[in-house]
Amino acid sequence: MQFIPAVISERAVLRCPTQHWASATRRNRAVTYSLLICLVVGGGCSEGPQGTGPGRREQPLALSPSQELQIGREAYRQILEKAPVVESGPEVDRVRRVSKRIAKAVEIEPLLREINLRLDGYQFEWEYNVVEDDQANAFCLPGGKVVVLTGLLKIIQSDDQLAAVIAHEVAHALAHHASERIARERVVGRGLLSLSYNRLQETEADHIGLFLMTFAGYDPDEAVAFWKEMQNARGGQVHLPEIISDHPNDTRRMQQLQAWVGPAKAAKRALDEGRVMPVGRR
Ligand SMILES: [Zn+2]
């Protein structure tokens, strides 16, 4: 039997995305070993959360797969109707080239399985557009509708850095963060969600996105480099993206991303070498 220890160990990190990395790393080793023991003895493993969300955390969702798709389609149509869409040119080619590779990585089943992404029954109608706007921002609506603003492309230094941003945004859509936000707002009231909850989604999107870009064949070190560029941009007069606002500060974010680079590369290597855990085994 073959398996991916590096990916298995990552599951433990995804369970607790807001946890400090150092303690998570120590715990990971223990969890990895216990998972391996579970595999050897062939029994079920009851350690850790058993929820339905990413990393098996508990995750309530408000929208059905078809509702998600409809909302994404409608919002995208409305945005593009009014926005100054860049129809063609090198920037559009670049965004579509990188985005398509990220979307292709979403089809890598062992990765989805290890992150525990719920995509059964969900439809992604990938579309990628560039909009003329000075803000350094990008987003991905439910159903796979991506928009990149030209202000972001002025900061991006390479395809790998663009992949880091797009993968982060796509991760929000894959993890159904919009649907979860609606479900949680129904409980606590609109506008009352805590910052720590926002940070959880941001950290989770960082984590999933870093693996996604790596599995798409991009260099995860460039995700860290991108945030250094953003820090420099913050020193100037450039508008900052939404992805900066409700999240760990830049330094902590870079530390977390840097700590995930090694495991992401190791997991990709394991996949390339065919060390994949059979379906149905955890
Ligand atoms: Zn984000």
Side-chain angles (χ1 to χ4, degrees):
M1 183 174 59
Q2 293 179 314
F3 43 79
I4 311 177
V7 177
I8 290 170
S9 71
E10 278 315 292
R11 182 188 291 148
V13 186
L14 284 162
R15 278 174 181 160
C16 46
T18 55
Q19 196 173 18
H20 188 271
W21 170 252
S23 60
T25 304
R26 275 195 300 277
R27 229 175 60 121
N28 280 355
R29 289 195 197 103
V31 172
T32 302
Y33 296 141
S34 69
L35 279 167
L36 291 177
I37 291 165
C38 289
L39 288 169
V40 170
V41 300
C45 186
S46 60
E47 185 173 346
Q50 296 295 311
T52 51
R56 303 202 172 275
R57 70 176 173 88
E58 288 300 328
Q59 187 191 40
L61 296 180
L63 305 174
S64 69
S66 62
Q67 284 173 321
E68 256 197 29
L69 187 62
Q70 282 304 326
I71 285 172
R73 273 182 189 157
E74 183 56 22
Y76 203 58
R77 190 186 62 74
Q78 288 181 13
I79 290 165
L80 295 187
E81 229 172 48
K82 294 174 190 155
V85 176
V86 182
E87 298 292 345
S88 60
E91 289 182 328
V92 177
D93 293 344
R94 186 183 208 186
V95 165
R96 291 191 174 153
R97 180 177 68 241
V98 172
S99 299
K100 280 178 187 170
R101 274 176 63 175
I102 298 294
K104 192 78 187 153
V106 175
E107 296 169 12
I108 300 173
E109 193 277 334
L111 180 65
L112 305 185
R113 184 168 18 121
E114 290 305 324
I115 299 172
N116 199 44
L117 287 173
R118 274 182 282 182
L119 299 186
D120 281 352
Y122 286 90
Q123 203 180 327
F124 285 84
E125 296 174 342
W126 298 106
E127 279 188 66
Y128 323 103
N129 275 289
V130 176
V131 164
E132 189 70 49
D133 191 303
D134 284 344
Q135 290 184 74
N137 207 350
F139 55 85
C140 178
L141 297 172
K145 310 294 193 188
V146 175
V147 168
V148 176
L149 304 184
T150 48
L152 178 70
L153 296 171
K154 291 188 181 110
I155 294 174
I156 294 290
Q157 301 285 314
S158 63
D159 278 11
D160 300 86
Q161 291 189 9
L162 181 57
V165 177
I166 291 173
H168 170 100
E169 298 303 330
V170 165
H172 279 306
L174 296 177
H176 313 294
H177 282 169
S179 177
E180 180 182 13
R181 177 169 290 271
I182 295 168
R184 291 189 187 276
E185 281 179 350
R186 280 179 185 166
V187 177
V188 301
R190 186 177 287 268
L192 293 177
L193 287 184
S194 70
L195 273 178
S196 67
Y197 166 73
N198 293 343
R199 280 196 292 270
L200 182 145
Q201 285 199 338
E202 284 308 306
T203 304
E204 191 168 85
D206 274 348
H207 198 168
I208 295 170
L210 192 85
F211 273 72
L212 204 53
M213 73 174 290
T214 307
F215 276 62
Y218 290 105
D219 178 4
D221 284 310
E222 285 298 305
V224 184
F226 166 73
W227 282 102
K228 284 190 184 136
E229 294 294 334
M230 289 305 299
Q231 261 191 333
N232 295 338
R234 190 197 282 277
Q237 296 302 310
V238 182
H239 284 103
L240 297 173
E242 170 274 334
I243 54 175
I244 273 185
S245 58
D246 296 330
H247 60 54
N249 66 44
D250 290 353
T251 305
R252 181 174 161 81
R253 183 168 218 159
M254 283 189 278
Q255 283 171 347
Q256 284 179 321
L257 286 167
Q258 187 63 62
W260 293 325
V261 164
K265 286 181 177 174
K268 173 68 161 63
R269 214 164 33 243
L271 182 79
D272 291 344
E273 292 168 1
R275 288 183 281 119
V276 178
M277 187 165 56
V279 176
R281 300 304 297 264
R282 292 186 50 217

